[in-house]
Amino acid sequence: MFKNMRNYLQSLFLFTLVFLTINEIIAESQQPDKFKEALTIKPLSDGKLLTHFQFSVKHYGYKEGVVFSHYNFFPRAIGQIFQTYNVRELHLTFTQGRWNYEDWGYPFVPSAGTGVELWAWLWKDGKLDENWKSLTNALAGLFCASLNFIDDTITVQPKLSFRPEGPFNETELTERAELRYGSLPHENVCTENLTPWIKLLPCKSTSGIASLLNGHKLYDSNFHSMSIHVQPSCEDPDCINQQLEIIQTVSTVIDPVRNSGKRDWSLNKVFGRRLSQACPLAEESNLEIIIPENGDYKIIPDADDIIQRSMGDTVDVEKKIAVYNLKKIEPDTELSMIWNEDQFEYNFNPVQPQIFAHRFFTGYGQERGGIKVNIFNKSPNISIPIIYYDVIPWYLKLYLHTLKVQINGKNNKLDADNPIKDLYFQPAVDRSRPNVIEAEMLLPPNSLTTLSIKFDKVFLKYTEHPPDANRGFDIGSGVISTGKIDDDFLSNLTNMSLATKKSLVEYMHFSIRIYTETLLVSLPTPDFSMPYNVITLTCTVIALFFGSMFNLITRSFVAFIDAGEEKAKKKIDSDESNVQKGEERDFDGENFDSDKSNVQKEEDRDFDREKTKLEAEKTIANN
Amino acid sequence: MEKVQDFDKSRRLIIISFWVVILIGLPLWWKTTEVYRAQLPFTEIEEWSKWEKIQLCQNTIQIIMILVILNLLVDVDSMRTMKYSPMYQVTFSLMNGDPSTLLVDWDIKQAVVKYLKPFVDKISIISNLTVDSQIQHYSRLTFEPQKNLHNDKNYFYLTPDLLPHFINAAEWNLASAVSSYPTLNFILYAPSKNQSPLYIKDSKENNAFLIPRWGGVIINNPDQSVGTHMFTFDELKSVMSIFIMQLRGLLGVQDVWLEARSVLDSSINVDFMPTPNTAITIWELDSLVRRRIAENIVSTISTLKSLSQLVAEIPNMVVLDHIQTEVLLFKIIINFLHTGQYEIALQHAKKAIERAESAFFDPTMVSMLYFPDEHKYAIYMPLFVPISVPLLMALLKELKELKELKTKNKKKE
């Protein structure tokens, strides 16, 4: 029996050994890339329609530091850029329009600041700043956008916001990687940026939901945002095998009420195209419609499946979703939603999200002004921690001593009730780096918190003005980061008040970002025609002055004597002698008369002489 | 009369003093407004471009150089070969015409390691090759191939005149996003079901063709009935052998075997020694090294000559200091070539051409666009013309008077 036992144990040992090696071999051998695509449609409370495309490719067998160069679904262009510039995580978003938080809630993808926003975590390898610069240039070339304008005067290193969205270890992260953030609020988005973005997808725009992306409809919407996110991800909680994931999303908000007065929509009306067939390379290809809670409507055709899923708001609420599997759908199916009402009636009491904010300028004139941010906390009894982050360009000089906080209109002294728990401030250096404010704040429940700060406007150099100088300069959005309010968070909050001063960032995962509006500031603008005016005026004055001076010192004015004058001179002498002679003789009337006439003639001659003299001078001067 | 004479003298003095100030100020202004131009050794560059001056110990290299200069090496080989670069990016792309009917995949990683790596290692002394691969789906052709019937089965074919239009560069993602070095693209094309099977007319065995100075294409017709096709390691052997042959042609490796055979007398008995399996023989590599050295030296010298001509022709261009250092380094490199050791010579020749190209294509080497001549005239004319007119007239008048005075004096005498 003992022998049997030993045999049994031996075979068991061998079997486990073989099993483990096989497992290892399987783990080593490359799992193929996985591609998933989904289109989510959500009717919003004010009659508009949110459509959200999401494409994600997961590349297995990704190891830090090991270069992979054989690509399948994962786009080669992004892989090359990612590895050449030693990037850990990359997020690039192109947005136009303003996301209306009060009416629409939170977007599916957090980044909603107008213009281009690029932020990345880069590994420290000694040339991190060079890598960042090359990264912006390479992405500018790939997406036909002027991302190369993100230079030192715009790049910022946030301290609290923009934590990695993939899995990370805080201490390891601070040692080995650094964050860089840059945004261009004035950048326009158009089909030129969409086309290279679509080329990165495995099925391009030939099949699948990407075939619905029509530039004409996409750029005719209230809000549209196109983004690309590359980040490591883990499938198991211990994160033994990492994968590299690329997520490409397009979100648009369209207004069907604008055209017809009713909320009805169909795929053809919204996108101008029909679904042809699912992408054969996709593992999952779904169309989801988030079912509105109340209202009389009908969705044609019937859904394949109805599931429940939480949506990622600050409040954890699950919503019902109708799912259509596009792999099984008939080609050219028309999907539509019809509301049973004559005309859409606007809902004047929408369900507002918990946190939203507005930012605006205060003051007047070309010398100074102020910025004010109103942050609303609509939660009735929970104090919500947030991180407020704002980058103000260097040409507005912020004064930190004018930073004021008001809660519900009342000024706040620096005491225990001060909502600002931690403040990072980077003052600007002219033409070198921007102002950065990062404030960790705890918003009291059901309150309006106002942050305000004053600034001076800088007088720019003549060549620093853009060609359309009187338009002004754009200031990028302020970003409020907050997290999901759930039991975990509430317990963390109580822990935080007990523990010594530890940063919120280490407790919470700030996954929700709220963007304020971008602002337009007009700086004192010079008159650009002045150089021409100065040149012509001063040259004229100097030329006239020089001309007159030169003439005066080099011209001489000479008396001009001609033949007629000579005779007249002789005549005068003879007359004088005649007169003397006349006086010696007796006074004769005839002589007197003749003398008189002589005198008259003399006067005439004098006058003539003067005249000829003047004329002579004139001719000399003209020569 | 004396007063007049005094006045004349002072007037002459005034006019002369104005003109003296102008004559002194003019060169001063010219000097202070010229652009910064570092000095380049123009005379030396001129000397080098007279080829006889370069004395090299190795006559073979000299002969090749002369042949290159005189363009006697313009033949099919040189038209096919890529311009020299110290690094090349080699990309293998598997193009699938229609994934809805056929899904493809290939074991390219193993194939590259087993078949290509020995060649890449051997040729790394001349140029470094970086290899990557991708799979592109929905890769359509820009035209419809012609249809024909054979044994009751339809087949499609491409005539040779359609081959240059085969590459659909707009839709196929072939460009590299990061590399600024030249790319060699090798494409394995699997046509879609409604264009399958696809052949090249009159191609004997392989369904492949080479695009000079760009890369190569192989058309493979996998079995469409199954729905997926995996190009296994063994299948890729024949594919990779064609690709390597095309790669050799593109890099300039000449077939010594055939040339040697044709030149030698048939009575001489030749034994060919087996070479290691690296797709390039030692003899071929050696001849390639010599050719590249010669070509590099010739292109470096011609680049430097163009550089000096450019700098001389555009007076309004800033020549920064680092351009000067690049050119001066070349002098040092030329001195090294006199030693005659191939490997070192090749390394130095590589460095020389890199430096010359970087100096020539430096972004600062453009004429100053924001100081065009018209602007200079517009700024200086409103001031100097109204000032110069009275000065000139006064000077001319003085000279005329002097002449008259001289003739008067002569008359008196």
Side-chain angles (χ1 to χ4, degrees):
Chain A
M1 204 200 74
F2 192 57
K3 252 197 197 163
N4 276 345
M5 193 65 158
R6 222 181 62 183
N7 278 343
Y8 172 73
L9 282 173
Q10 265 183 351
S11 54
L12 188 67
F13 175 70
L14 270 169
F15 179 71
T16 43
L17 201 66
V18 169
F19 182 72
L20 285 171
T21 42
I22 290 176
N23 256 354
E24 217 184 83
I25 291 171
I26 291 175
E28 284 282 315
S29 75
Q30 199 85 324
Q31 215 186 330
D33 295 350
K34 282 206 190 133
F35 173 57
K36 291 189 194 163
E37 58 176 21
L39 167 59
T40 312
I41 301 183
K42 178 179 177 186
L44 298 166
S45 61
D46 65 348
K48 299 192 175 59
L49 196 69
L50 166 64
T51 59
H52 176 79
F53 294 78
Q54 181 148 328
F55 306 89
S56 84
V57 173
K58 258 202 198 158
H59 175 81
Y60 289 83
Y62 171 65
K63 281 197 191 72
E64 269 172 40
V66 173
V67 174
F68 72 95
S69 42
H70 299 282
Y71 301 91
N72 190 348
F73 296 152
F74 196 95
R76 183 174 75 111
I78 299 291
Q80 278 182 327
I81 292 177
F82 202 74
Q83 292 180 91
T84 313
Y85 303 122
N86 253 329
V87 182
R88 187 191 183 278
E89 204 173 291
L90 171 71
H91 301 271
L92 172 62
T93 314
F94 297 82
T95 313
Q96 284 285 275
R98 187 181 72 86
W99 181 269
N100 189 350
Y101 288 93
E102 283 128 296
D103 288 337
W104 303 342
Y106 294 120
F108 290 125
V109 180
S111 288
T114 310
V116 167
E117 184 193 62
L118 170 66
W119 59 280
W121 283 87
L122 296 139
W123 295 114
K124 286 190 204 174
D125 63 351
K127 34 183 204 126
L128 201 146
D129 290 312
E130 273 175 45
N131 283 345
W132 170 250
K133 193 163 162 57
S134 308
L135 176 68
T136 53
N137 280 293
L139 289 171
L142 182 61
F143 288 105
C144 299
S146 42
L147 296 173
N148 51 322
F149 282 107
I150 299 181
D151 56 2
D152 283 339
T153 60
I154 294 180
T155 307
V156 164
Q157 243 186 301
K159 296 269 180 296
L160 303 170
S161 317
F162 298 103
R163 301 274 95 196
E165 291 190 1
F168 66 99
N169 177 333
E170 182 71 40
T171 41
E172 198 204 342
L173 190 75
T174 36
E175 269 173 49
R176 297 179 52 205
E178 270 183 27
L179 169 64
R180 291 285 188 272
Y181 175 92
S183 95
L184 296 169
H186 189 31
E187 186 72 16
N188 282 320
V189 187
C190 62
T191 335
E192 252 189 22
N193 311 119
L194 183 66
T195 312
W197 186 94
I198 290 182
K199 274 218 242 172
L200 298 174
L201 300 169
C203 273
K204 304 198 178 58
S205 59
T206 329
S207 66
I209 57 178
S211 59
L212 294 172
L213 287 171
N214 179 4
H216 286 111
K217 295 285 185 180
L218 186 68
Y219 295 113
D220 190 27
S221 50
N222 287 37
F223 170 90
H224 60 88
S225 164
M226 172 183 101
S227 70
I228 180 165
H229 306 274
V230 188
Q231 63 207 32
S233 75
C234 289
E235 286 200 325
D236 50 299
D238 295 328
C239 216
I240 303 170
N241 295 321
Q242 270 202 341
Q243 299 100 38
L244 189 63
E245 191 174 11
I246 174 170
I247 303 175
Q248 293 177 250
T249 68
V250 171
S251 288
T252 60
V253 172
I254 14 194
D255 195 4
V257 179
R258 184 177 74 178
N259 292 325
S260 57
K262 300 170 82 172
R263 276 191 280 179
D264 303 345
W265 57 266
S266 69
L267 282 182
N268 198 21
K269 256 198 258 173
V270 169
F271 297 114
R273 294 195 183 155
R274 289 177 196 275
L275 265 176
S276 49
Q277 56 167 175
C279 178
L281 309 166
E283 196 193 5
E284 272 176 35
S285 181
N286 291 333
L287 198 154
E288 302 173 348
I289 303 181
I290 296 181
I291 298 178
E293 272 129 37
N294 36 22
D296 193 6
Y297 57 86
K298 201 168 42 165
I299 303 181
I300 303 163
D302 284 328
D304 291 337
D305 197 10
I306 298 199
I307 61 172
Q308 298 248 14
R309 200 169 64 209
S310 74
M311 282 284 97
D313 284 346
T314 48
V315 187
D316 207 355
V317 166
E318 284 202 342
K319 296 234 167 113
K320 265 210 287 190
I321 303 172
V323 179
Y324 296 80
N325 189 347
L326 292 174
K327 280 186 163 290
K328 301 195 194 130
I329 211 169
E330 303 266 322
D332 286 346
T333 328
E334 184 56 281
L335 193 81
S336 59
M337 183 173 192
I338 303 174
W339 292 79
N340 193 5
E341 57 190 15
D342 289 327
Q343 204 172 6
F344 170 61
E345 278 172 28
Y346 195 82
N347 179 7
F348 287 101
N349 294 315
V351 176
Q352 286 183 328
Q354 299 222 311
I355 311 254
F356 57 93
H358 291 293
R359 187 181 65 163
F360 43 89
F361 276 134
T362 58
Y364 57 89
Q366 302 279 44
E367 268 186 272
R368 57 184 76 91
I371 294 184
K372 229 177 203 167
V373 188
N374 283 344
I375 312 175
F376 296 84
N377 179 3
K378 289 293 177 197
S379 159
N381 41 21
I382 306 177
S383 302
I384 299 182
I386 63 156
I387 298 174
Y388 176 70
Y389 164 83
D390 210 346
V391 177
I392 311 285
W394 61 268
Y395 39 81
L396 298 180
K397 293 201 260 231
L398 296 184
Y399 291 105
L400 185 58
H401 74 282
T402 58
L403 180 66
K404 276 210 289 258
V405 187
Q406 289 181 324
I407 301 183
N408 290 330
K410 287 194 219 121
N411 273 333
N412 217 283
K413 306 246 175 21
L414 286 164
D415 53 10
D417 281 338
N418 184 13
I420 297 184
K421 300 296 172 205
D422 205 1
L423 177 66
Y424 284 94
F425 180 76
Q426 175 184 288
V429 174
D430 277 2
R431 297 174 185 88
S432 176
R433 67 177 198 200
N435 298 290
V436 184
I437 305 174
E438 256 190 297
E440 199 181 297
M441 300 169 63
L442 189 65
L443 303 176
N446 206 9
S447 67
L448 159 63
T449 312
T450 306
L451 273 172
S452 62
I453 191 164
K454 291 202 172 33
F455 59 78
D456 272 354
K457 295 186 190 178
V458 157
F459 193 80
L460 289 178
K461 289 188 190 169
Y462 172 74
T463 49
E464 285 173 346
H465 287 275
D468 53 347
N470 284 300
R471 178 185 185 272
F473 291 83
D474 293 85
I475 314 288
S477 313
V479 182
I480 296 173
S481 308
T482 185
K484 206 155 76 162
I485 315 285
D486 56 2
D487 294 324
D488 232 357
F489 158 71
L490 290 170
S491 65
N492 274 338
L493 203 56
T494 42
N495 282 345
M496 208 185 74
S497 56
L498 294 170
T500 52
K501 185 173 189 224
K502 252 192 165 188
S503 177
L504 273 170
V505 176
E506 293 175 37
Y507 277 105
M508 271 179 67
H509 186 57
F510 286 79
S511 55
I512 299 177
R513 289 198 296 274
I514 295 134
Y515 284 72
T516 65
E517 304 87 344
T518 54
L519 301 171
L520 193 61
V521 64
S522 67
L523 296 178
T525 315
D527 179 359
F528 291 99
S529 65
M530 277 316 284
Y532 164 76
N533 293 343
V534 164
I535 289 174
T536 43
L537 193 67
T538 51
C539 290
T540 311
V541 166
I542 289 179
L544 285 176
F545 173 75
F546 179 80
S548 337
M549 279 291 116
F550 188 74
N551 278 344
L552 279 175
I553 56 179
T554 52
R555 292 270 162 79
S556 59
F557 296 95
V558 180
F560 187 67
I561 300 174
D562 65 9
E565 277 189 29
E566 289 278 335
K567 244 200 220 168
K569 233 188 168 182
K570 282 193 191 146
K571 198 74 189 288
I572 288 172
D573 287 335
S574 62
D575 279 342
E576 278 180 2
S577 55
N578 277 353
V579 164
Q580 277 183 344
K581 278 190 196 150
E583 280 179 2
E584 283 176 2
R585 270 187 261 139
D586 281 342
F587 185 72
D588 209 339
E590 290 174 14
N591 283 346
F592 184 72
D593 281 329
S594 64
D595 282 339
K596 231 200 213 167
S597 61
N598 277 348
V599 168
Q600 271 225 314
K601 279 190 195 145
E602 273 180 38
E603 282 179 3
D604 284 334
R605 260 181 261 127
D606 277 348
F607 177 80
D608 284 330
R609 226 184 296 150
E610 291 290 328
K611 212 168 127 193
T612 47
K613 221 200 307 184
L614 275 166
E615 279 172 341
E617 274 183 32
K618 252 199 216 161
T619 47
I620 291 175
N622 283 347
N623 285 349
Chain B
M1 281 305 284
E2 281 181 11
K3 250 195 184 167
V4 175
Q5 268 193 335
D6 276 340
F7 188 70
D8 273 342
K9 229 198 249 174
S10 66
R11 190 175 69 227
R12 240 171 254 146
L13 215 65
I14 290 169
I15 292 173
I16 288 173
S17 63
F18 270 113
W19 277 101
V20 162
V21 166
I22 288 175
L23 288 171
I24 294 178
L26 207 69
L28 246 172
W29 164 78
W30 184 259
K31 198 80 209 312
T32 49
T33 55
E34 69 177 7
V35 293
Y36 180 75
R37 286 159 77 89
Q39 279 291 32
L40 292 179
F42 290 114
T43 44
E44 297 206 11
I45 296 176
E46 271 300 314
E47 267 186 37
W48 292 331
S49 56
K50 299 190 180 79
W51 311 107
E52 308 85 51
K53 294 282 180 168
I54 302 178
Q55 289 298 323
L56 296 169
C57 299
Q58 298 297 319
N59 285 322
T60 44
I61 296 185
Q62 200 140 7
I63 293 169
I64 300 172
M65 272 178 59
I66 293 171
L67 286 173
V68 168
I69 297 152
L70 298 176
N71 282 338
L72 282 174
L73 279 181
V74 173
D75 55 348
V76 178
D77 269 343
S78 67
M79 286 202 289
R80 178 198 310 139
T81 314
M82 300 279 290
K83 186 172 175 301
Y84 177 73
S85 161
M87 193 146 114
Y88 292 100
Q89 166 83 32
V90 176
T91 305
F92 293 97
S93 310
L94 173 58
M95 300 289 189
N96 187 0
D98 190 1
S100 56
T101 50
L102 181 74
L103 292 172
V104 290
D105 202 352
W106 58 353
D107 195 4
I108 188 70
K109 194 164 172 188
Q110 290 274 43
V112 162
V113 166
K114 183 82 194 305
Y115 299 125
L116 194 63
K117 196 163 181 305
F119 179 70
V120 170
D121 289 336
K122 248 312 161 67
I123 212 154
S124 60
I125 55 169
I126 303 180
S127 320
N128 285 324
L129 301 180
T130 324
V131 180
D132 66 11
S133 78
Q134 60 173 348
I135 305 182
Q136 289 283 312
H137 304 274
Y138 286 108
S139 325
R140 284 180 287 222
L141 298 173
T142 49
F143 56 88
E144 285 292 325
Q146 296 179 28
K147 200 167 163 181
N148 208 335
L149 202 62
H150 173 77
N151 290 349
D152 286 338
K153 263 194 275 190
N154 275 330
Y155 75 92
F156 297 84
Y157 66 92
L158 300 167
T159 48
D161 54 309
L162 287 175
L163 291 180
H165 308 292
F166 188 82
I167 304 289
N168 185 357
E171 286 184 22
W172 301 353
N173 294 343
L174 293 171
S176 166
V178 290
S179 176
S180 53
Y181 293 108
T183 311
L184 296 159
N185 288 298
F186 294 100
I187 297 179
L188 179 59
Y189 189 78
S192 56
K193 192 165 184 183
N194 56 5
Q195 285 179 348
S196 189
L198 185 62
Y199 298 105
I200 300 176
K201 194 170 190 187
D202 299 336
S203 85
K204 287 146 207 147
E205 308 136 4
N206 317 309
N207 227 357
F209 62 97
L210 183 144
I211 300 175
R213 298 196 175 180
W214 190 87
V217 177
I218 301 179
I219 301 177
N220 191 302
N221 297 301
D223 191 2
Q224 293 279 346
S225 58
V226 183
T228 67
H229 185 91
M230 173 70 174
F231 285 92
T232 56
F233 181 63
D234 299 316
E235 259 185 78
L236 283 178
K237 184 169 183 186
S238 54
V239 166
M240 285 305 281
S241 61
I242 303 175
F243 277 148
I244 290 177
M245 200 175 74
Q246 291 174 338
L247 184 60
R248 274 165 52 110
L250 289 166
L251 287 176
V253 177
Q254 277 170 341
D255 236 350
V256 175
W257 165 276
L258 296 167
E259 283 182 26
R261 262 268 160 87
S262 60
V263 166
L264 290 172
D265 201 348
S266 51
S267 62
I268 299 175
N269 198 2
V270 183
D271 271 331
F272 286 90
M273 297 216 18
T275 70
N277 199 9
T278 59
I280 185 168
T281 61
I282 303 167
W283 207 338
E284 285 169 345
L285 187 63
D286 196 59
S287 99
L288 183 63
V289 165
R290 284 179 210 230
R291 285 232 341 266
R292 285 304 193 190
I293 293 176
E295 280 172 13
N296 282 354
I297 296 174
V298 167
S299 0
T300 313
I301 292 173
S302 75
T303 310
L304 285 175
K305 183 130 204 288
S306 314
L307 180 71
S308 69
Q309 273 179 342
L310 177 75
V311 168
E313 270 174 31
I314 305 182
N316 216 3
M317 187 166 67
V318 181
V319 180
L320 290 176
D321 282 329
H322 68 255
I323 312 276
Q324 192 184 29
T325 43
E326 310 268 4
V327 176
L328 288 173
L329 274 166
F330 179 72
K331 275 208 303 196
I332 304 171
I333 288 171
I334 273 283
N335 291 336
F336 269 111
L337 279 170
H338 291 182
T339 57
Q341 287 163 290
Y342 282 139
E343 268 79 51
I344 303 178
L346 184 63
Q347 298 305 318
H348 285 296
K350 267 164 79 168
K351 267 196 227 142
I353 183 133
E354 265 187 60
R355 297 206 107 101
E357 297 264 312
S358 79
F360 189 69
F361 288 111
D362 196 271
T364 60
M365 296 284 279
V366 284
S367 122
M368 291 173 90
L369 295 168
Y370 33 89
F371 283 149
D373 283 335
E374 295 86 34
H375 280 205
K376 279 197 226 144
Y377 296 147
I379 291 172
Y380 289 130
M381 254 172 56
L383 182 63
F384 288 128
V385 167
I387 285 178
S388 61
V389 165
L391 281 174
L392 260 170
M393 295 307 296
L395 186 72
L396 287 172
K397 207 150 162 275
E398 279 303 310
L399 289 172
K400 210 164 57 172
E401 274 189 25
L402 264 170
K403 236 196 324 188
E404 276 179 23
L405 213 67
K406 269 200 196 148
T407 47
K408 235 198 229 171
N409 285 345
K410 271 200 186 154
K411 263 196 198 165
K412 272 196 189 163
E413 286 161 16

